[in-house]
Amino acid sequence: CPSSEQCNFMLAVFVLVAASVSRPAGARYTADWTSLDARPLPSWYDEAKVGVFIHWGVFSVPGFQSEWFWWHWQGEQPPDQKCVSYMSKNYPPGFSYPEFAPQFHAQFFNPGEWADIFKASGAKYVVLTAKHHEGFTNWGSPNSWNWNSVDTGPHRDLVGDLGEAVRNRSLHYGLYNSLYEWFHPLYLADKKNGFKTQEFVMHKLLPELYNMVVRYRPEVIWSDGDWEAPDTYWNSTQFLAWLYNDSPVKDTIVTNDRWGAGCACKHGGYYNCEDKYTPGQLPKHKWEKCTSVDTFSWGYRRNMKMSELMDLPTIIKDLVGTVALGGNYLLNVGPTPDGMIPVVFEERLRGVGDWLGINGEAIYASKPWRIQTENTTVPVWYTSKGESVYAIMTAKPPKLTLQLLGPKTSGATKVTLLGNPKPLPWSPVQPNAGLTVLLPELSCTPGQAWTLKLDGIQ
């Protein structure tokens, strides 16, 4: 903090607000999971389906292994020898991690160009790392003096600049925030005390979160770094009660489930459960799959190889299966420290957008159908919207026919291929059950997946 007075003022404001929401008052949410978990999810989120995740920070400067580089180098015991060797070979003795920050120049960062890429990807929301586990904030946090993007490195408000560009393109804007910080002295002191003290929470985390929400008004708070301590240490329920009742985003804010040890897949808004979570069947609760184009890292890696990246057909299959099971799909890219989105990531994002340009009707604002998938001819995932059902083929059939056993047909059944309005011939497999569709020649579409729209079926 610039001054103890400002810290104390911020803390006092937050404590007063938190205390006021702990008392029931009409339809207000109280600071307990029973009340908070009952809050309906704002409808925009389920309708959006597709988002872009951005991991960007000081960790992008070494660009080695992953965004966990600092921890692997100097946190875990014994240290990762690959990280130790990387530093000894490329940096002078005694070089410290904070010395990477001035090299986080972001000199080519053009938020408008980024937002254009995200818009072209077909994503409806964007989530940027406001603060990762290293504690560096991508905005001028008054609670992170000299360890933020305004005081050092880029010397600009990355969170604010990107948010303005994203919203100018009618996309929703969310912020990732790590609750814990690997090496913050107040956090380490609380940890040493068995989390019986809350110096870090009261003087760093909560004032910073409050400031971030009031200043940037995010529509998603993607919480992380919660697992070392219970939600009672983080004061999560008090913060969420304020967020849902009195914050400037109380009607639109969406949160995930990382608010303390044991909360994942149990408490919060939508569920992430775990990174790259893939349920085996239709979950009962709204969920999101976060995954990364670079399968080895969320942050930028200088030495990434093409074979380590998800190709476009793999991304499309993943997206389709996620949405068919009721989930949202949050696809991550890691920009370079100079502010560029690597062209291979841009190519993947634009490829997703090209596919959604043809098939988005089956994705956006869709709902899971009574049957989610079948594999009679080729793998097929189902979604639905209104009276229509969509059958998405994630592989090209060996012949120009596709058999679907799940739909129940009628005399009014009509089949079309998205991108081709001409009705397709079909015949029943059994009376009123199943159908065989005569397909046109399927062109090599982006993502190698095709969608049939089925009307007049059950």
Side-chain angles (χ1 to χ4, degrees), residues 386-421:
E387 299 299 316
S388 299
V389 173
Y390 301 89
I392 307 172
M393 301 170 277
T394 55
K396 192 172 184 177
K399 301 178 181 179
L400 292 181
T401 57
L402 177 71
Q403 189 174 84
L404 301 172
L405 299 181
K408 297 177 181 178
T409 60
S410 69
T413 296
K414 177 184 175 184
V415 182
T416 54
L417 179 72
L418 291 189
N420 182 355

Side-chain angles (χ1 to χ4, degrees), residues 1-12 142-143 207 211 215:
C1 287
S3 68
S4 59
E5 289 80 6
Q6 184 172 1
C7 269
N8 290 335
F9 172 75
M10 292 278 296
L11 180 60
N143 305 97
N211 191 309
R215 186 182 298 195

Side-chain angles (χ1 to χ4, degrees), residues 78-223:
D80 187 319
Q81 287 305 306
K82 290 181 181 178
C83 296
V84 173
S85 176
Y86 177 79
M87 292 304 299
S88 64
K89 290 178 179 178
N90 296 287
Y91 295 90
F95 188 94
S96 66
Y97 188 84
E99 291 178 85
F100 281 124
Q103 300 175 37
F104 180 29
H105 296 298
Q107 69 268 38
F108 300 129
F109 173 51
N110 184 322
E113 290 180 357
W114 282 27
D116 285 340
I117 293 170
F118 303 150
K119 183 76 171 179
S121 78
K124 300 299 184 183
Y125 63 107
V126 174
V127 180
L128 171 69
T129 47
K131 183 192 77 172
H132 202 260
H133 312 322
E134 64 188 11
F136 185 91
T137 63
N138 281 328
W139 55 285
S141 168
N143 305 97
S144 190
W145 180 79
N146 211 39
W147 192 231
N148 67 74
S149 66
V150 175
D151 289 345
T152 187
H155 293 290
R156 63 187 290 187
D157 181 356
L158 304 177
V159 168
D161 290 352
L162 183 61
E164 181 180 4
V166 161
R167 286 171 167 144
N168 283 343
R169 287 151 183 81
S170 300
L171 302 178
H172 298 274
Y173 189 49
L175 295 174
Y176 165 109
N177 183 79
S178 174
L179 298 183
Y180 87 151
E181 297 178 24
W182 287 319
F183 302 110
H184 196 289
L186 292 182
Y187 179 72
L188 294 178
D190 287 346
K191 186 176 179 178
K192 188 176 180 180
N193 293 332
F195 299 111
K196 299 295 191 292
T197 56
Q198 292 180 294
E199 293 299 310
F200 174 75
V201 174
M202 292 301 179
H203 295 96
K204 175 64 161 73
L205 175 65
L206 290 184
E208 190 165 76
L209 265 175
Y210 174 83
N211 191 309
M212 185 184 80
V213 171
V214 172
R215 186 182 298 195
Y216 299 109
R217 306 194 175 195
E219 291 173 274
V220 177
I221 292 184
W222 213 101
S223 185

Side-chain angles (χ1 to χ4, degrees), residues 48-109:
K49 300 301 182 190
V50 182
V52 173
F53 211 178
I54 309 156
H55 276 66
W56 198 31
V58 173
F59 52 78
S60 307
V61 177
F64 186 73
Q65 279 209 335
S66 77
E67 68 288 346
W68 279 66
F69 175 79
W70 192 8
W71 180 258
H72 293 318
W73 174 36
Q74 294 185 316
E76 68 182 17
Q77 296 299 325
D80 187 319
Q81 287 305 306
K82 290 181 181 178
C83 296
V84 173
S85 176
Y86 177 79
M87 292 304 299
S88 64
K89 290 178 179 178
N90 296 287
Y91 295 90
F95 188 94
S96 66
Y97 188 84
E99 291 178 85
F100 281 124
Q103 300 175 37
F104 180 29
H105 296 298
Q107 69 268 38
F108 300 129
F109 173 51

Side-chain angles (χ1 to χ4, degrees), residues 347-401:
E347 185 267 345
R348 294 292 191 274
L349 293 177
R350 291 187 182 276
V352 172
D354 289 343
W355 186 85
L356 286 169
I358 299 169
N359 300 276
E361 180 184 337
I363 300 297
Y364 303 122
S366 66
K367 299 290 184 184
W369 195 44
R370 61 176 176 83
I371 300 168
Q372 289 81 58
T373 187
E374 69 168 90
N375 194 6
T376 306
T377 307
V378 292
V380 170
W381 291 94
Y382 290 104
T383 63
S384 67
K385 187 189 298 181
E387 299 299 316
S388 299
V389 173
Y390 301 89
I392 307 172
M393 301 170 277
T394 55
K396 192 172 184 177
K399 301 178 181 179
L400 292 181
T401 57

